[in-house]
Amino acid sequence: MISVRGLTKRFGDNTVLDGIDLDIRSGERVAIIGPSGTGKSTLLRSLNFLEKPDEGMITIGPVTVDARRVRAAEELALRRQTSFVFQNYALFANMTARDNIAEGLITVRGWEKARAHARAEEILATIGLADKAQSYPAALSGGQQQRVGIGRAMAAEAEIMLIDEPTSALDPEWVDEVLQLLKRVADARQTMLIVTHEMQFARDIADRILFMDGGKIVEQGPPETMFTDPKDPRTRAFLRKVL
Amino acid sequence: MRPLDLDYMLGLVPVLLKYVPLTLAMASVAMVLALMLASLMAIVRVMRVPLLDGLTQVFISFFRGTPLLVQLFLFYYGLPQVFSFLTAINGVTAAIMGITLHFAAYMAESIRAAILGVDRSQWEAARSVGMTTAQMMRRIILPQAARIAAPTLVNYFVDIIKSTSLAFTLGVTELMGAAQKEAAGSFLYFEAFILVAIIYWVIVEALTVVQRQLEARLGKAVAR
């Protein structure tokens, strides 16, 4: 269960998140759409404190944090309830594909190396990269790197997977394999919050679509109604442009 | 121009080579200690640890801003007059201490720059999987910073090897001190000093082979 109340983030005079309220049930798959620069990525990054929000209460699983008086240990506890998939993959450059997936299990969850490596190899097989276990990120294609990035997030078995524009940095030829993998993760009912510009994909996998503009959630609903019968003029204008 | 006394030089080779282990030992100990100290100072500076950051900056400023020879004299001849417990320190120890602190100051800045040179996404990725700052540094940032800093750090090691010759000014009979003594006995200064120069040169050249291997190993992750 994820619950967000009054989440606010300012960069100087610019209010990027303007009092966001959001609840996500376990197993729910939520996609955020909206124009560039409306705070979609900042919302994701504030939920695990990659950006420090200025105000708001965040509950993820058993951890509740008040952004105004958060201690480092609480930040870490909250972050450990989440996993994150980055737009630019952000694989650990000094580690092989297998070690990228196993690293969190070893350092954060304290698993024995052998067990973590075995689990990482299972995941590599699931994401179709069993033969790349010993490859470093620099030797992988963009699509392969992003699949390892998703594998790393899968390994965490977190309360929620936060996914930030997973295909925006990819050459077109790699987009499909990444979306297909994410669809499988979604089908396994992993709770997820995904920022995406792939409207068809959002429609396919999401239980709910959020439309954000100007740091606010303007409108939300199931994909059927959001894409066919949006109520807010801003949602309509946006969808006219991208569909 | 007088001819070189080649027989004298040849005879001097085994005499001077006996002092190579001491030179290498002093340089290696100073390098390891300086690396550890420099890494700590670099992390303190990158993390802007209150109080320690300021102290580190003063330390770096002083040891970069004054000549190594002055620092060595200060350690060996000066400080024992003020702190009597330091009178027991011998020349080798004082030289290692001085060289360590001096080069740690330089290396801290290189390592700091290397840490800051590690892509921002690596820090965020480490945070996103839930690592503590210490885990992030040890597992992700420092290994990548090491690759960036390696060429510079090997250069400092070369400098450290050559700087051990200053220990001779503290009365230590190391490579340079031995050459000086021999020359003073034979009056063949050119032969003694050109020979000692060649020995340093060969040591440093041998090190560049090690450097290439080290860089190849650290570069493994970025090779396609």
Side-chain angles (χ1 to χ4, degrees):
Chain A
M1 233 281 293
I2 286 86
S3 160
V4 177
R5 288 291 173 272
L7 192 66
T8 300
K9 172 70 183 172
R10 301 180 197 89
F11 292 115
D13 290 341
N14 187 12
T15 303
V16 185
L17 295 179
D18 193 0
I20 300 275
D21 295 331
L22 176 63
D23 291 286
I24 300 174
R25 298 186 314 274
S26 273
E28 195 179 9
R29 287 117 347 151
V30 180
I32 310 178
I33 61 170
S36 299
T38 51
K40 306 187 298 291
S41 291
T42 307
L43 171 58
L44 243 57
R45 295 164 56 83
S46 295
L47 289 181
N48 75 346
F49 277 76
L50 284 181
E51 305 284 356
K52 201 170 173 342
D54 297 302
E55 284 167 47
M57 300 287 293
I58 303 172
T59 302
I60 302 178
V63 182
T64 298
V65 161
D66 181 344
R68 265 185 295 200
R69 41 177 170 277
V70 59
R71 288 174 302 125
E74 292 176 326
E75 233 179 82
L76 194 63
L78 185 79
R79 202 175 274 141
R80 286 178 175 178
Q81 297 297 318
T82 69
S83 55
F84 205 97
V85 176
F86 293 87
Q87 183 178 346
N88 63 359
Y89 340 127
L91 298 184
F92 302 130
N94 58 324
M95 292 184 182
T96 62
R98 184 197 68 183
D99 290 347
N100 261 279
I101 296 172
E103 180 60 22
L105 297 175
I106 298 167
T107 36
V108 176
R109 290 168 73 184
W111 285 23
E112 299 274 343
K113 262 192 191 161
R115 183 178 168 213
H117 289 164
R119 177 74 186 121
E121 269 155 27
E122 267 174 39
I123 290 174
L124 281 168
T126 311
I127 64 180
L129 291 173
D131 56 329
K132 299 291 183 189
Q134 295 307 321
S135 299
Y136 284 92
L140 298 175
S141 74
Q144 291 169 334
Q145 287 190 58
Q146 190 58 297
R147 279 148 69 194
V148 174
I150 294 164
R152 178 172 68 186
M154 288 163 70
E157 297 175 41
E159 184 72 25
I160 185 167
M161 193 184 282
L162 304 167
I163 309 166
D164 190 11
E165 301 194 25
T167 57
S168 298
L170 288 174
D171 289 336
E173 52 188 315
W174 310 123
V175 170
D176 212 42
E177 64 185 52
V178 168
L179 292 183
Q180 276 177 20
L181 174 57
L182 283 171
K183 175 135 188 0
R184 277 161 57 203
V185 177
D187 287 346
R189 300 210 70 84
Q190 161 73 52
T191 314
M192 58 166 68
L193 183 58
I194 179 168
V195 173
T196 184
H197 293 294
E198 301 280 345
M199 296 302 149
Q200 187 57 49
F201 173 71
R203 198 170 187 158
D204 287 348
I205 64 133
D207 302 303
R208 179 158 46 124
I209 306 283
L210 306 181
F211 174 73
M212 274 184 77
D213 195 11
K216 290 190 158 105
I217 297 172
V218 173
E219 186 172 1
Q220 54 181 306
E224 309 84 75
T225 55
M226 278 294 280
F227 283 109
T228 53
D229 186 23
K231 300 282 178 287
D232 195 281
R234 282 171 290 178
T235 319
R236 266 185 251 145
F238 174 75
L239 287 175
R240 249 199 319 276
K241 250 189 264 171
V242 297
L243 286 181
Chain B
M1 202 181 106
R2 78 168 167 82
L4 285 185
D5 190 337
L6 288 175
D7 285 345
Y8 171 73
M9 279 179 76
L10 227 50
L12 202 52
V13 171
V15 177
L16 291 186
L17 284 184
K18 272 193 302 191
Y19 292 93
V20 170
L22 176 61
T23 290
L24 290 181
M26 281 170 46
S28 304
V29 172
M31 181 70 186
V32 170
L33 294 177
L35 259 182
M36 293 195 296
L37 184 59
S39 301
L40 282 177
M41 290 195 294
I43 291 171
V44 161
R45 295 231 45 215
V46 170
M47 291 287 149
R48 299 206 178 88
V49 181
L51 194 66
L52 283 180
D53 187 20
L55 288 175
T56 302
Q57 285 187 50
V58 173
F59 176 94
I60 291 172
S61 170
F62 176 79
F63 281 96
R64 290 204 324 176
T66 53
L68 177 55
L69 187 61
V70 173
Q71 293 162 14
L72 290 178
F73 274 37
L74 196 60
F75 276 116
Y76 188 63
Y77 299 112
L79 281 183
Q81 294 191 336
V82 185
F83 303 102
S84 53
F85 66 93
L86 286 172
T87 32
I89 283 183
N90 62 31
V92 172
T93 312
I96 289 174
M97 267 175 51
I99 292 169
T100 296
L101 297 179
H102 182 83
F103 282 94
Y106 280 96
M107 283 159 51
E109 289 297 270
S110 302
I111 295 173
R112 184 173 80 101
I115 290 174
L116 293 175
V118 174
D119 197 87
R120 202 71 223 158
S121 69
Q122 298 292 307
W123 299 67
E124 292 197 338
R127 292 232 178 271
S128 81
V129 302
M131 288 189 195
T132 62
T133 301
Q135 288 169 337
M136 172 178 73
M137 279 293 164
R138 192 166 49 82
R139 304 285 305 168
I140 309 298
I141 305 302
L142 288 179
Q144 295 186 51
R147 188 179 62 77
I148 301 172
T152 322
L153 295 179
V154 174
N155 279 341
Y156 282 128
F157 187 44
V158 166
D159 235 356
I160 286 178
I161 292 174
K162 294 184 293 181
S163 298
T164 57
S165 62
L166 290 174
F168 130 80
T169 62
L170 308 185
V172 178
T173 309
E174 40 64 70
L175 196 48
M176 178 62 195
Q180 158 71 20
K181 272 189 187 160
E182 290 298 327
S186 64
F187 294 108
L188 293 171
Y189 289 102
F190 185 81
E191 280 82 350
F193 291 143
I194 192 70
L195 186 60
V196 84
I198 289 169
I199 291 175
Y200 278 115
W201 191 12
V202 169
I203 293 173
V204 169
E205 278 305 303
L207 194 65
T208 56
V209 176
V210 179
Q211 173 173 20
R212 271 194 290 274
Q213 284 170 357
L214 177 73
E215 280 169 26
R217 212 172 74 95
L218 289 169
K220 200 173 50 176
V222 285
R224 277 177 186 269

